Structure formats: structure tokens, C-alpha cells
Amino acid sequence: MVKEVCHHPRLNEKAPDFEAVTTHGKIKLSDYANKWVVMFSHPADFTPVCTTEFVAFSKANEEFKKRNTQLIGLSIDSVHAHLGWVESIEKNFGVKVPFPIIADLDMKVANLYGMVHPAAGSTAAVRSVFIIDDEGILKALIHYPMSNGRNIDEVIRLLDALQTSKKNGVATPANWKPGDKVIVPPPQTQDDMYKRKDMGYEYIDWYLSYKNL
């Protein structure tokens, strides 16, 4: 028996374009050129953990917009089911879902992005987050189990870190938040290694130095 392999786009490669029916009409990923995109998937509509996430993403939508970022949801359900779910969320939580939700009944986008993990459960798509930059490059990919909800503050923190790294050519340390010191890329030559201590950075060792932006 041939083992089924889950394929998905690789980091720092072009995110596959697609056209899909959504709660906001037809969209293409390429419609959002020059914007960052956070696309997140769910196994099905009207599921409890996913409902709490939709509420949280909806409440944070303005924070994503401040970062030139478009949210896109996805579930292996019909657009009519999506509309019913959106209505239920508004009725029960007083929150309008402001971003499009892809109706991926043919699993075209789910398969294109490697969201189908047969061992993860009986539903069609696992819960994933894809962060795509303003040039269409996949910068981060996170998979979550069915049982535990995503931390939306962490998605925003990671987005801030990715945007900071891209803009300034730096890395960010563990638990970094905007305003914290960043990591200077390590030297590439022996000569630069010896010079590193005298370059005005917060010098820990030749391979680790911090600076303020």
C-alpha cells in the first residue's frame, strides 16, 4: 500500500494562486497583491472551537487591517452553510464576520495548500494558518490540532515580527514584541566576525548581537 503524503507550499516560495467562491463573492489570491494575507482553515462550519476562533479573528480584524493584511477563512462547506454560520455568530456573539470565507466543497484550495491530513481526523481540512507577504511569498505556516483554539494575539505578533524582519533585514528573538531589540544577522566572514564587537551593537558573542530599531 502506498502511503498518502500531504503536500503543502514551502516557506519562502510563491504561494499558489487560486480562484474560489466565498461569502463575499468570487476571489483570487492575486486580488490581494501588495497586501499581506492571513488565510486560516477550519474542518467544518458550526464547530465549537472554530466558532470561538471566528469570533476572535473578527474582533481583531481592524488590527490586521492596520498591518495592511487581509484575513481569509476557509472551510470544507457550502457558501450557504457559511452564511448560516456567519448569521449564527452574529446572533449569538454580536459580532459581524468582516472577511471572506472560502466555500471549498471540491477541496481544491485545501489540497493545493496541504490542509488535508487524513490521520488528523475524519473531517476534510485541518486547522491551519498561512501568512503570505505582500509579494505573494509564504512566510509562515502553522497547523493546529482539532482540540485547541488558536491564539490570535500570537498570529498578530508573528505577523509583526515577519513584517519587521522583511523591512529591516533583521531577525527577532524569542518572545519578541514591537519595540523590543532585534537580532543583527550573524557575520558571514572571519574578518566581519572580528569587527562585530566594535560595531556598536549589544554584543553577546560573535554570532549573537542585538540592536534597537
Side-chain angles (χ1 to χ4, degrees), residues 6 16 46 59 68 71 100 135 141 204 212:
C6 177
F46 300 101
K59 288 181 176 179
N68 189 36
L71 291 173
E135 295 179 290
L141 164 62
I204 307 299
N212 289 307

Side-chain angles (χ1 to χ4, degrees), residues 124-143:
V126 299
R127 289 168 42 251
S128 304
V129 174
F130 301 86
I131 301 181
I132 301 164
D133 76 5
D134 52 358
E135 295 179 290
I137 304 300
L138 181 63
K139 304 304 289 188
L141 164 62
I142 316 170
H143 293 308

Side-chain angles (χ1 to χ4, degrees), residues 86-179:
V86 165
E87 183 184 39
S88 173
I89 289 171
E90 184 174 352
K91 180 180 71 174
N92 290 313
F93 298 95
V95 173
K96 289 188 176 182
V97 177
F99 46 80
I101 309 170
I102 294 171
D104 199 32
L105 279 173
D106 60 4
M107 293 167 53
K108 179 180 177 182
V109 180
N111 282 311
L112 191 63
Y113 277 78
M115 301 175 192
V116 181
H117 293 193
S122 58
T123 47
V126 299
R127 289 168 42 251
S128 304
V129 174
F130 301 86
I131 301 181
I132 301 164
D133 76 5
D134 52 358
E135 295 179 290
I137 304 300
L138 181 63
K139 304 304 289 188
L141 164 62
I142 316 170
H143 293 308
Y144 292 81
M146 303 297 180
S147 54
N148 306 103
R150 288 169 265 220
N151 185 319
I152 309 308
D153 288 339
E154 168 58 16
V155 175
I156 293 173
R157 190 204 70 84
L158 177 56
L159 177 63
D160 283 335
L162 290 167
Q163 291 185 343
T164 297
S165 291
K166 181 175 181 180
K167 180 180 179 181
N168 299 283
V170 296
T172 57
N175 300 321
W176 178 89
K177 298 184 297 296

Side-chain angles (χ1 to χ4, degrees), residues 192-209:
D192 288 342
M193 179 181 71
Y194 293 135
K195 293 178 182 176
R196 175 55 58 96
K197 188 179 293 187
D198 302 317
M199 295 180 71
Y201 301 133
E202 181 183 325
Y203 179 88
I204 307 299
D205 208 329
W206 68 267
Y207 61 89
L208 175 59
S209 296

Side-chain angles (χ1 to χ4, degrees), residues 5 10 13 42 56 124 128 155 180 182:
V5 178
R10 292 181 293 192
E13 292 185 352
H42 297 275
S128 304
V155 175
D180 291 349
V182 297

